[in-house]
Amino acid sequence: MVKREDEHLLARLQRPRSISLQAEPYHSQKNQILTARAFGEPSRHHRQNHRSLSGGDGPFSSTVNTLIPRATTSYTQYTGDGTTAAGWPDQSAWSSFEDLWSANAPLMLCSQFSQPDNSPSETDSVKSAISSVSASTGVDNRFILAVIMQESSGCVRAPTTNGGVRNPGLMQDHDGKGTCNDAGVVQNPCPDDEIELMIQEGTGGTDAGDGLQQCLSQAASDDVSRFYKAARIYNSGSIDPSGDLGAGGATHCYASDIANRLLGYTGRSECTLD
C-alpha cells in the first residue's frame, strides 16, 4: 500500500515548473511556466519538476514573460546550501515588502498568457490577500510575493498547468481549487475570494500537497537558509542529497532566483544553472 507521504513525494516529482516571467523561460526547462523568463521559472513543488509560468520556474525565468531589469540592482547567482556562510543573503538584506510591492506590482501582467492584464482592483486584491495569508500562516509576506512573481508573474488569470500534477493559480499550487483560468474557463474580473484562495493554497497547502508553510517546516533550519531551502522544496519536492540548492531535479535556478527577488531584483534572470 502506498503511504500518503510517498504519494506526495511522487506528486511533487511529477509537478511541472512555474509559469512565470521571462521572455525566455527562466524555468522553462523545468516544468516550464507560462511566464516568460525575466526572472526565473516558477517551480512546482509537488509537481514533476514544477516550473513556474513566469519564466524559468517563475517570472524570473519564465519562458513567456520578460521582466524589466532594474538599473539599481544586479543579479547574483547563488549556489550551495542557502546559508550566509555559502554567500546567500541574510534576511536583513531583503527589501521591505512595500519596496518589493512597488517594484513588482507594475509587472503583474497577463499578456504572456494571452489574457487581459490585471485590473488595478485585482492587483490590489493580490496585495490584500498576501497580507491576510501572511498573518494567518506566519509566512513572511515578502517570501509569498517572491514566489507569486516567480510562478505566475502575479497574473490573476495565469493558466492551470499540468505536467502530471495539476498546478493552478497565482502560485501554481498542488492541485488546489483556486483559479481564474482553468480548462478554458476564464474569469474576468477574477473575484477577490478566488485570489485569496489561490494565495492561501499556495502558502498554506492543499489537501493534495504542501504550501510554503509546510515547505518551511521541512527545511528544518532556524536561519535564513530555511527560506531558500523551502523555495527549492516548493519547486522540486526535495533538496538534492548534496545540500546544494542548485542541484537535483526541477528548476536549478529556482532558489537563486527567489533570493534575488527578495533583494529587489526584477530583471531578467542571469542564472546559468539550468
Side-chain angles (χ1 to χ4, degrees):
M1 179 176 182
V2 179
K3 295 181 179 180
R4 185 171 181 75
E5 291 81 0
D6 296 328
E7 293 177 334
H8 282 188
L9 176 58
L10 177 59
R12 291 176 182 174
L13 293 176
Q14 294 179 328
R15 181 177 183 173
R17 270 168 66 173
S18 29
I19 328 176
S20 213
L21 20 132
Q22 278 200 321
E24 308 166 13
Y26 186 92
H27 297 276
S28 305
Q29 279 179 294
K30 192 179 158 171
N31 229 37
Q32 246 154 237
I33 338 176
L34 302 181
T35 302
R37 174 172 175 144
F39 213 122
E41 293 178 60
S43 57
R44 238 7 357 125
H45 56 309
H46 323 290
R47 315 177 237 176
Q48 221 168 346
N49 265 355
H50 157 185
R51 351 157 270 283
S52 345
L53 292 176
S54 299
D57 268 85
F60 231 47
S61 50
S62 168
T63 314
V64 182
N65 256 1
T66 299
L67 288 183
I68 301 170
R70 298 278 172 180
T72 56
T73 180
S74 59
Y75 187 96
T76 299
Q77 181 169 299
Y78 298 103
T79 58
D81 63 4
T83 62
T84 54
W88 292 69
D90 187 73
Q91 197 166 352
S92 62
W94 294 4
S95 293
S96 68
F97 177 75
E98 288 303 327
D99 284 347
L100 290 176
W101 180 261
S102 295
N104 286 282
L107 304 176
M108 293 182 174
L109 308 175
C110 300
S111 56
Q112 69 271 24
F113 307 124
S114 298
Q115 294 298 327
D117 287 333
N118 291 6
S119 67
S121 176
E122 289 172 328
T123 296
D124 286 346
S125 291
V126 172
K127 184 179 185 182
S128 296
I130 290 174
S131 297
S132 174
V133 172
S134 174
S136 64
T137 61
V139 176
D140 194 299
N141 54 5
R142 297 169 295 181
F143 188 43
I144 297 173
L145 174 58
V147 171
I148 286 174
M149 294 306 295
Q150 185 77 6
E151 292 293 334
S152 67
S153 293
C155 171
V156 297
R157 277 170 288 280
T160 297
T161 56
N162 194 326
V165 173
R166 179 174 168 279
N167 302 134
L170 283 161
M171 298 178 74
Q172 296 290 284
D173 60 66
H174 189 138
D175 199 22
K177 299 176 181 177
T179 175
C180 275
N181 186 348
D182 191 26
V185 178
V186 177
Q187 296 187 66
N188 186 12
C190 185
D192 292 350
D193 57 353
E194 203 72 28
I195 290 173
E196 180 153 3
L197 180 58
M198 289 187 249
I199 296 175
Q200 174 60 50
E201 292 179 329
T203 304
T206 67
D207 290 340
D210 301 330
L212 298 181
Q213 184 177 23
Q214 292 75 29
C215 292
L216 283 164
S217 294
Q218 291 167 37
S221 298
D222 295 325
D223 61 355
V224 70
S225 69
R226 70 185 185 277
F227 291 100
Y228 308 130
K229 291 173 181 176
R232 194 69 176 89
I233 294 170
Y234 188 76
N235 176 244
S236 63
S238 63
I239 294 173
D240 188 76
S242 68
D244 186 348
L245 302 185
T251 304
H252 301 122
C253 293
Y254 198 87
S256 180
D257 284 353
I258 290 296
N260 278 274
R261 287 185 180 282
L262 290 167
L263 294 176
Y265 183 74
T266 57
R268 178 178 299 277
S269 174
E270 297 176 17
C271 179
T272 61
L273 300 176
D274 286 311

